[in-house]
Amino acid sequence: MPPSGRPSPGVTAGRSSSSFPLARTHCRARVPSPYPLPYPPVRSHLSLARRALSSFVRPDARRTCLTFLAALAVSVAAACEPLILKTLVDRLAAVSVAAAGAGAARAIAAGIALFAAVLAFRIIGAAWVMTSTWRVRFDFEYRLRSQVAAKLSVISARTQAEIGTGGLRYAIDASAPQSASAFTDVAFKLAPALLYIGIAAASMARLDGALALMVLGCLPLPAAVAALKASRQTARDRMQHRFWTRLWAWYAEVMHGMATVRAFANEHAEERRFTRRLRWAFACIHRGIAVDAGVTAAAGIAELAARVAVLWYGGFLILHGRMTVGTLLAFLGFVGGVFAPLQQLVDLYPAVRKAVVALTAVFAVLDAEEEAPDLPEARPAPRFTGHVRFDGVCFSYTGDRQALEELTLEIRAGETVALVGPSGSGKSTILRLLQRTHHPTSGRVLIDGHDVRELAVQSVRRQLGVVPQDVVLFNDSIAANIAYGRPRAARAEIERAARAANAHDFIMALRHGYDTSIGEGGRALSGGQRQRIAIARAFLVDPAILLLDEATAALDTESEQAVQQALRALRHGRTTLIVAHRLNTVRDADRIVVIRDGRVVGDGTHDALLASCPTYAALVRHQLGAEPGGAPAPAAPPQGVALVA
């Protein structure tokens, strides 16, 4: 909905536009941001600068300092050019009046050589400074992108859900270059520009104080215009940053769900939403550009006024013999030289303004909550045998409801345990705690007697094999997907794992065999084929502990039989935890553990639980379609009957 509260034109029913509201097209700075983000307010420029220097610049401090000093030297050389030109022109004028002698010719030649040397130094130095500036900028951007990318791999699911995948990507793709560009501009343009203006002001004051005041009196005009527009432009930049973050988060969501969009014939509706939001964004950008152009125009008008003043008053002084032509040329040179760095300073402001917003977003991502980070004293995990124990474990996702409450469970090495229970009872949470995706609120998760919180997360996960219901495959070859856990595995090992997973035959039936590209998300394969690729991936890493999270829940009967056969081979000799969805998976387990409201309410075999655990008996009765109070379920229900919803 627009801020006016009226529905946006062209918004179709079925998907509310309130999740992506539009601001007014004219994009006034006082209009609130269309998308509230979990970003903190813009921090002080000084605190942002200190942290940016410490995080991204300190490793390259030597090159940064050399580039800074070279930029200052180039600025000094540029400030000396008008003075050298004044001396040279005045000497030439003096020679035209008096007879030219050998000494005068040598002096003129020396002046020309000095002018050429200073000019050459400025040109070559400026070229080196530009090259080195880009090197510093790329290093800054590389470190920023690297730190953000490293953070994204451990960021909490809650933060990722709040910002969105597209929004996180925007934090890298847009914020990184803006921040790096602003840093190099400030580091290598601000101080040299101020130094040039200082030298030029002192030189003009020595040449002619009144004319210097005329020139310097025009300098504050563009700065005053920029200051008047500062707060509105900053608000607009923050709004745009939030907008693009939300836009790309939404767009990534639409692309991921394109099959659903097409199924409901909403392609044109989503296209209209996208183009309408782009119109708002471009209108906002255009308004900001118009303001920046006004500041640039003010600088140009100030420079024009200064040149006219110098020509008018300087010409008057020359006609009355109170100023030389060389001095007038020096003033004209200083006018161009002073307003060029002044324009640089004016142009720096929008860059710094955008960088403040971008760095705030970057540091918000870097400071975001992590999922179960390693403790400072974490040590590598030894080779596991597979003995698992949950000792009085409590866990809550949001703090208001316990997902697990005083859960105690022991699984012997090599044992297969099925976890069953109603939806939301905490079954998948048990697997996540074992993978160190989360830390328990209280209690301990032990593997071979080691508290997993005291072990490095990477060393724990390398010894776990996970086969989820929703398999994630990458747009690469089948061989690369199988070898994802062991990228350096030999082709023979990959094929051996595929054979064990009952996948070799269908792989060889494909056009390019193991080198077949499976498309984004493995869309070229069926659900059962994707599951068997995931099982082959687990086979290849040879895990000590196997975690099966409803791995056959969404498969048809034929595919399920093939996958079950592969799973039986994979489970052999390994500790296995199964979040059960199909009863034939449960029947093969050594034990069935019933979870309800985060607690263990039953533990035993199928027959024993039917007699002793009302929760388990109710689940079986419900899935078999028995009415409450009817006959009890048989001890061996038909294969393929689902155990939980």
Side-chain angles (χ1 to χ4, degrees), residues 407-411 417-421 427 430 578 586 591-595 599-604 609 616:
L407 182 133
T408 298
L409 175 64
E410 186 166 1
I411 303 165
V417 174
L419 305 176
V420 302
K427 304 182 299 297
I430 293 174
I578 305 172
V586 174
R591 290 160 51 203
I592 300 172
V593 176
V594 185
I595 309 295
R599 294 176 178 269
V600 175
V601 296
D603 187 348
L609 289 172
Y616 184 78

PDB file of all heavy atoms in Angstrom, residues 407-411 417-421 427 430 578 586 591-595 599-604 609 616:
ATOM      1  N   LEU A 407      15.611 -33.064  28.023  1.00  0.00           N
ATOM      2  CA  LEU A 407      15.660 -34.281  27.213  1.00  0.00           C
ATOM      3  C   LEU A 407      16.913 -35.076  27.549  1.00  0.00           C
ATOM      4  O   LEU A 407      18.028 -34.547  27.494  1.00  0.00           O
ATOM      5  CB  LEU A 407      15.638 -33.934  25.727  1.00  0.00           C
ATOM      6  CG  LEU A 407      15.631 -35.131  24.772  1.00  0.00           C
ATOM      7  CD1 LEU A 407      14.570 -34.949  23.702  1.00  0.00           C
ATOM      8  CD2 LEU A 407      16.980 -35.350  24.121  1.00  0.00           C
ATOM      9  N   THR A 408      16.734 -36.335  27.884  1.00  0.00           N
ATOM     10  CA  THR A 408      17.846 -37.242  28.154  1.00  0.00           C
ATOM     11  C   THR A 408      17.681 -38.457  27.245  1.00  0.00           C
ATOM     12  O   THR A 408      16.634 -39.107  27.243  1.00  0.00           O
ATOM     13  CB  THR A 408      17.870 -37.677  29.621  1.00  0.00           C
ATOM     14  OG1 THR A 408      18.068 -36.514  30.444  1.00  0.00           O
ATOM     15  CG2 THR A 408      18.994 -38.665  29.874  1.00  0.00           C
ATOM     16  N   LEU A 409      18.717 -38.734  26.456  1.00  0.00           N
ATOM     17  CA  LEU A 409      18.652 -39.818  25.482  1.00  0.00           C
ATOM     18  C   LEU A 409      20.058 -40.332  25.243  1.00  0.00           C
ATOM     19  O   LEU A 409      20.990 -39.535  25.070  1.00  0.00           O
ATOM     20  CB  LEU A 409      18.028 -39.310  24.175  1.00  0.00           C
ATOM     21  CG  LEU A 409      17.979 -40.285  23.005  1.00  0.00           C
ATOM     22  CD1 LEU A 409      17.093 -41.483  23.332  1.00  0.00           C
ATOM     23  CD2 LEU A 409      17.478 -39.565  21.746  1.00  0.00           C
ATOM     24  N   GLU A 410      20.224 -41.634  25.208  1.00  0.00           N
ATOM     25  CA  GLU A 410      21.532 -42.244  24.970  1.00  0.00           C
ATOM     26  C   GLU A 410      21.422 -43.195  23.794  1.00  0.00           C
ATOM     27  O   GLU A 410      20.489 -44.002  23.705  1.00  0.00           O
ATOM     28  CB  GLU A 410      22.031 -42.992  26.202  1.00  0.00           C
ATOM     29  CG  GLU A 410      23.452 -43.510  26.043  1.00  0.00           C
ATOM     30  CD  GLU A 410      24.080 -43.944  27.359  1.00  0.00           C
ATOM     31  OE1 GLU A 410      23.384 -43.858  28.392  1.00  0.00           O
ATOM     32  OE2 GLU A 410      25.252 -44.357  27.346  1.00  0.00           O
ATOM     33  N   ILE A 411      22.387 -43.095  22.872  1.00  0.00           N
ATOM     34  CA  ILE A 411      22.423 -43.940  21.678  1.00  0.00           C
ATOM     35  C   ILE A 411      23.795 -44.588  21.610  1.00  0.00           C
ATOM     36  O   ILE A 411      24.825 -43.898  21.553  1.00  0.00           O
ATOM     37  CB  ILE A 411      22.156 -43.104  20.406  1.00  0.00           C
ATOM     38  CG1 ILE A 411      20.814 -42.376  20.532  1.00  0.00           C
ATOM     39  CG2 ILE A 411      22.190 -43.977  19.165  1.00  0.00           C
ATOM     40  CD1 ILE A 411      20.635 -41.281  19.520  1.00  0.00           C
ATOM     41  N   VAL A 417      18.472 -45.575  15.723  1.00  0.00           N
ATOM     42  CA  VAL A 417      17.369 -45.096  16.552  1.00  0.00           C
ATOM     43  C   VAL A 417      16.461 -44.223  15.693  1.00  0.00           C
ATOM     44  O   VAL A 417      16.931 -43.286  15.027  1.00  0.00           O
ATOM     45  CB  VAL A 417      17.881 -44.312  17.771  1.00  0.00           C
ATOM     46  CG1 VAL A 417      16.724 -43.693  18.535  1.00  0.00           C
ATOM     47  CG2 VAL A 417      18.691 -45.210  18.681  1.00  0.00           C
ATOM     48  N   ALA A 418      15.171 -44.524  15.696  1.00  0.00           N
ATOM     49  CA  ALA A 418      14.182 -43.721  14.980  1.00  0.00           C
ATOM     50  C   ALA A 418      13.503 -42.779  15.958  1.00  0.00           C
ATOM     51  O   ALA A 418      13.093 -43.184  17.045  1.00  0.00           O
ATOM     52  CB  ALA A 418      13.151 -44.630  14.314  1.00  0.00           C
ATOM     53  N   LEU A 419      13.386 -41.510  15.576  1.00  0.00           N
ATOM     54  CA  LEU A 419      12.704 -40.499  16.377  1.00  0.00           C
ATOM     55  C   LEU A 419      11.350 -40.228  15.749  1.00  0.00           C
ATOM     56  O   LEU A 419      11.263 -39.834  14.577  1.00  0.00           O
ATOM     57  CB  LEU A 419      13.524 -39.207  16.435  1.00  0.00           C
ATOM     58  CG  LEU A 419      14.973 -39.335  16.933  1.00  0.00           C
ATOM     59  CD1 LEU A 419      15.676 -37.986  16.845  1.00  0.00           C
ATOM     60  CD2 LEU A 419      15.011 -39.863  18.352  1.00  0.00           C
ATOM     61  N   VAL A 420      10.284 -40.444  16.493  1.00  0.00           N
ATOM     62  CA  VAL A 420       8.940 -40.217  15.983  1.00  0.00           C
ATOM     63  C   VAL A 420       8.196 -39.323  16.954  1.00  0.00           C
ATOM     64  O   VAL A 420       8.580 -39.171  18.116  1.00  0.00           O
ATOM     65  CB  VAL A 420       8.172 -41.548  15.794  1.00  0.00           C
ATOM     66  CG1 VAL A 420       8.915 -42.480  14.855  1.00  0.00           C
ATOM     67  CG2 VAL A 420       7.923 -42.229  17.140  1.00  0.00           C
ATOM     68  N   GLY A 421       7.129 -38.743  16.475  1.00  0.00           N
ATOM     69  CA  GLY A 421       6.320 -37.887  17.318  1.00  0.00           C
ATOM     70  C   GLY A 421       5.530 -36.904  16.488  1.00  0.00           C
ATOM     71  O   GLY A 421       5.743 -36.773  15.276  1.00  0.00           O
ATOM     72  N   LYS A 427      11.825 -33.244  17.062  1.00  0.00           N
ATOM     73  CA  LYS A 427      12.649 -34.296  16.460  1.00  0.00           C
ATOM     74  C   LYS A 427      13.805 -33.705  15.653  1.00  0.00           C
ATOM     75  O   LYS A 427      14.973 -34.072  15.849  1.00  0.00           O
ATOM     76  CB  LYS A 427      11.780 -35.183  15.567  1.00  0.00           C
ATOM     77  CG  LYS A 427      10.575 -35.805  16.263  1.00  0.00           C
ATOM     78  CD  LYS A 427       9.799 -36.708  15.349  1.00  0.00           C
ATOM     79  CE  LYS A 427       9.236 -35.997  14.137  1.00  0.00           C
ATOM     80  NZ  LYS A 427       8.248 -34.953  14.486  1.00  0.00           N
ATOM     81  N   ILE A 430      16.638 -32.073  17.625  1.00  0.00           N
ATOM     82  CA  ILE A 430      17.655 -32.982  18.163  1.00  0.00           C
ATOM     83  C   ILE A 430      18.801 -33.151  17.171  1.00  0.00           C
ATOM     84  O   ILE A 430      19.979 -33.109  17.544  1.00  0.00           O
ATOM     85  CB  ILE A 430      17.005 -34.338  18.508  1.00  0.00           C
ATOM     86  CG1 ILE A 430      16.028 -34.176  19.675  1.00  0.00           C
ATOM     87  CG2 ILE A 430      18.064 -35.386  18.836  1.00  0.00           C
ATOM     88  CD1 ILE A 430      15.231 -35.418  19.991  1.00  0.00           C
ATOM     89  N   ILE A 578      17.209 -41.446  12.880  1.00  0.00           N
ATOM     90  CA  ILE A 578      16.243 -41.282  11.804  1.00  0.00           C
ATOM     91  C   ILE A 578      15.049 -40.507  12.339  1.00  0.00           C
ATOM     92  O   ILE A 578      14.415 -40.928  13.307  1.00  0.00           O
ATOM     93  CB  ILE A 578      15.763 -42.644  11.265  1.00  0.00           C
ATOM     94  CG1 ILE A 578      16.948 -43.513  10.839  1.00  0.00           C
ATOM     95  CG2 ILE A 578      14.789 -42.458  10.125  1.00  0.00           C
ATOM     96  CD1 ILE A 578      16.551 -44.936  10.477  1.00  0.00           C
ATOM     97  N   VAL A 586      10.858 -47.115  10.267  1.00  0.00           N
ATOM     98  CA  VAL A 586      10.845 -47.311  11.711  1.00  0.00           C
ATOM     99  C   VAL A 586      11.056 -48.781  12.062  1.00  0.00           C
ATOM    100  O   VAL A 586      11.760 -49.127  13.015  1.00  0.00           O
ATOM    101  CB  VAL A 586       9.514 -46.796  12.296  1.00  0.00           C
ATOM    102  CG1 VAL A 586       9.415 -47.117  13.771  1.00  0.00           C
ATOM    103  CG2 VAL A 586       9.395 -45.297  12.065  1.00  0.00           C
ATOM    104  N   ARG A 591      15.778 -49.241  17.876  1.00  0.00           N
ATOM    105  CA  ARG A 591      14.892 -48.673  18.887  1.00  0.00           C
ATOM    106  C   ARG A 591      14.068 -47.571  18.263  1.00  0.00           C
ATOM    107  O   ARG A 591      14.499 -46.930  17.296  1.00  0.00           O
ATOM    108  CB  ARG A 591      15.685 -48.076  20.059  1.00  0.00           C
ATOM    109  CG  ARG A 591      16.371 -49.083  20.956  1.00  0.00           C
ATOM    110  CD  ARG A 591      17.481 -48.397  21.743  1.00  0.00           C
ATOM    111  NE  ARG A 591      17.037 -47.188  22.438  1.00  0.00           N
ATOM    112  CZ  ARG A 591      17.858 -46.197  22.817  1.00  0.00           C
ATOM    113  NH1 ARG A 591      19.158 -46.270  22.562  1.00  0.00           N
ATOM    114  NH2 ARG A 591      17.378 -45.160  23.462  1.00  0.00           N
ATOM    115  N   ILE A 592      12.895 -47.354  18.834  1.00  0.00           N
ATOM    116  CA  ILE A 592      12.051 -46.239  18.442  1.00  0.00           C
ATOM    117  C   ILE A 592      11.896 -45.348  19.669  1.00  0.00           C
ATOM    118  O   ILE A 592      11.509 -45.819  20.740  1.00  0.00           O
ATOM    119  CB  ILE A 592      10.671 -46.723  17.956  1.00  0.00           C
ATOM    120  CG1 ILE A 592      10.822 -47.649  16.754  1.00  0.00           C
ATOM    121  CG2 ILE A 592       9.779 -45.534  17.606  1.00  0.00           C
ATOM    122  CD1 ILE A 592       9.527 -48.315  16.332  1.00  0.00           C
ATOM    123  N   VAL A 593      12.222 -44.073  19.519  1.00  0.00           N
ATOM    124  CA  VAL A 593      12.102 -43.102  20.610  1.00  0.00           C
ATOM    125  C   VAL A 593      10.975 -42.135  20.252  1.00  0.00           C
ATOM    126  O   VAL A 593      10.991 -41.508  19.189  1.00  0.00           O
ATOM    127  CB  VAL A 593      13.422 -42.343  20.844  1.00  0.00           C
ATOM    128  CG1 VAL A 593      13.241 -41.272  21.910  1.00  0.00           C
ATOM    129  CG2 VAL A 593      14.528 -43.303  21.241  1.00  0.00           C
ATOM    130  N   VAL A 594      10.007 -42.020  21.131  1.00  0.00           N
ATOM    131  CA  VAL A 594       8.839 -41.163  20.894  1.00  0.00           C
ATOM    132  C   VAL A 594       9.074 -39.826  21.601  1.00  0.00           C
ATOM    133  O   VAL A 594       9.346 -39.787  22.807  1.00  0.00           O
ATOM    134  CB  VAL A 594       7.547 -41.830  21.407  1.00  0.00           C
ATOM    135  CG1 VAL A 594       6.340 -40.978  21.045  1.00  0.00           C
ATOM    136  CG2 VAL A 594       7.410 -43.233  20.831  1.00  0.00           C
ATOM    137  N   ILE A 595       8.966 -38.741  20.848  1.00  0.00           N
ATOM    138  CA  ILE A 595       9.173 -37.386  21.376  1.00  0.00           C
ATOM    139  C   ILE A 595       7.834 -36.658  21.361  1.00  0.00           C
ATOM    140  O   ILE A 595       7.112 -36.663  20.351  1.00  0.00           O
ATOM    141  CB  ILE A 595      10.196 -36.607  20.532  1.00  0.00           C
ATOM    142  CG1 ILE A 595      11.481 -37.419  20.332  1.00  0.00           C
ATOM    143  CG2 ILE A 595      10.501 -35.263  21.172  1.00  0.00           C
ATOM    144  CD1 ILE A 595      12.248 -37.671  21.597  1.00  0.00           C
ATOM    145  N   ARG A 599      10.048 -33.771  25.026  1.00  0.00           N
ATOM    146  CA  ARG A 599      10.442 -34.780  26.022  1.00  0.00           C
ATOM    147  C   ARG A 599      10.354 -36.174  25.410  1.00  0.00           C
ATOM    148  O   ARG A 599       9.576 -36.418  24.483  1.00  0.00           O
ATOM    149  CB  ARG A 599       9.538 -34.714  27.254  1.00  0.00           C
ATOM    150  CG  ARG A 599       9.644 -33.441  28.067  1.00  0.00           C
ATOM    151  CD  ARG A 599       8.625 -33.460  29.201  1.00  0.00           C
ATOM    152  NE  ARG A 599       8.725 -32.278  30.041  1.00  0.00           N
ATOM    153  CZ  ARG A 599       9.492 -32.198  31.132  1.00  0.00           C
ATOM    154  NH1 ARG A 599      10.219 -33.252  31.499  1.00  0.00           N
ATOM    155  NH2 ARG A 599       9.535 -31.098  31.859  1.00  0.00           N
ATOM    156  N   VAL A 600      11.122 -37.103  25.971  1.00  0.00           N
ATOM    157  CA  VAL A 600      11.023 -38.507  25.593  1.00  0.00           C
ATOM    158  C   VAL A 600       9.868 -39.118  26.380  1.00  0.00           C
ATOM    159  O   VAL A 600       9.888 -39.148  27.615  1.00  0.00           O
ATOM    160  CB  VAL A 600      12.335 -39.260  25.885  1.00  0.00           C
ATOM    161  CG1 VAL A 600      12.162 -40.755  25.604  1.00  0.00           C
ATOM    162  CG2 VAL A 600      13.476 -38.691  25.057  1.00  0.00           C
ATOM    163  N   VAL A 601       8.854 -39.593  25.645  1.00  0.00           N
ATOM    164  CA  VAL A 601       7.698 -40.204  26.316  1.00  0.00           C
ATOM    165  C   VAL A 601       7.598 -41.700  26.022  1.00  0.00           C
ATOM    166  O   VAL A 601       6.685 -42.365  26.529  1.00  0.00           O
ATOM    167  CB  VAL A 601       6.394 -39.502  25.895  1.00  0.00           C
ATOM    168  CG1 VAL A 601       6.391 -38.061  26.354  1.00  0.00           C
ATOM    169  CG2 VAL A 601       6.184 -39.584  24.380  1.00  0.00           C
ATOM    170  N   GLY A 602       8.499 -42.229  25.209  1.00  0.00           N
ATOM    171  CA  GLY A 602       8.492 -43.654  24.912  1.00  0.00           C
ATOM    172  C   GLY A 602       9.804 -44.082  24.303  1.00  0.00           C
ATOM    173  O   GLY A 602      10.428 -43.329  23.551  1.00  0.00           O
ATOM    174  N   ASP A 603      10.251 -45.295  24.609  1.00  0.00           N
ATOM    175  CA  ASP A 603      11.533 -45.792  24.097  1.00  0.00           C
ATOM    176  C   ASP A 603      11.453 -47.313  24.074  1.00  0.00           C
ATOM    177  O   ASP A 603      11.298 -47.953  25.123  1.00  0.00           O
ATOM    178  CB  ASP A 603      12.675 -45.314  24.986  1.00  0.00           C
ATOM    179  CG  ASP A 603      14.049 -45.653  24.409  1.00  0.00           C
ATOM    180  OD1 ASP A 603      14.117 -46.439  23.451  1.00  0.00           O
ATOM    181  OD2 ASP A 603      15.052 -45.121  24.935  1.00  0.00           O
ATOM    182  N   GLY A 604      11.542 -47.900  22.876  1.00  0.00           N
ATOM    183  CA  GLY A 604      11.488 -49.353  22.783  1.00  0.00           C
ATOM    184  C   GLY A 604      11.205 -49.798  21.370  1.00  0.00           C
ATOM    185  O   GLY A 604      11.371 -49.034  20.409  1.00  0.00           O
ATOM    186  N   LEU A 609       6.024 -50.426  22.274  1.00  0.00           N
ATOM    187  CA  LEU A 609       5.477 -49.072  22.358  1.00  0.00           C
ATOM    188  C   LEU A 609       3.971 -49.050  22.105  1.00  0.00           C
ATOM    189  O   LEU A 609       3.243 -48.231  22.680  1.00  0.00           O
ATOM    190  CB  LEU A 609       6.195 -48.155  21.357  1.00  0.00           C
ATOM    191  CG  LEU A 609       7.646 -47.808  21.707  1.00  0.00           C
ATOM    192  CD1 LEU A 609       8.298 -47.057  20.560  1.00  0.00           C
ATOM    193  CD2 LEU A 609       7.719 -46.981  22.978  1.00  0.00           C
ATOM    194  N   TYR A 616       2.503 -43.065  20.966  1.00  0.00           N
ATOM    195  CA  TYR A 616       2.885 -43.855  19.801  1.00  0.00           C
ATOM    196  C   TYR A 616       1.680 -44.604  19.248  1.00  0.00           C
ATOM    197  O   TYR A 616       1.445 -44.639  18.030  1.00  0.00           O
ATOM    198  CB  TYR A 616       3.994 -44.838  20.181  1.00  0.00           C
ATOM    199  CG  TYR A 616       4.529 -45.642  19.015  1.00  0.00           C
ATOM    200  CD1 TYR A 616       5.419 -45.084  18.108  1.00  0.00           C
ATOM    201  CD2 TYR A 616       4.129 -46.964  18.824  1.00  0.00           C
ATOM    202  CE1 TYR A 616       5.911 -45.815  17.043  1.00  0.00           C
ATOM    203  CE2 TYR A 616       4.608 -47.708  17.759  1.00  0.00           C
ATOM    204  CZ  TYR A 616       5.499 -47.129  16.874  1.00  0.00           C
ATOM    205  OH  TYR A 616       5.984 -47.856  15.812  1.00  0.00           O
TER     206      TYR A 616
END
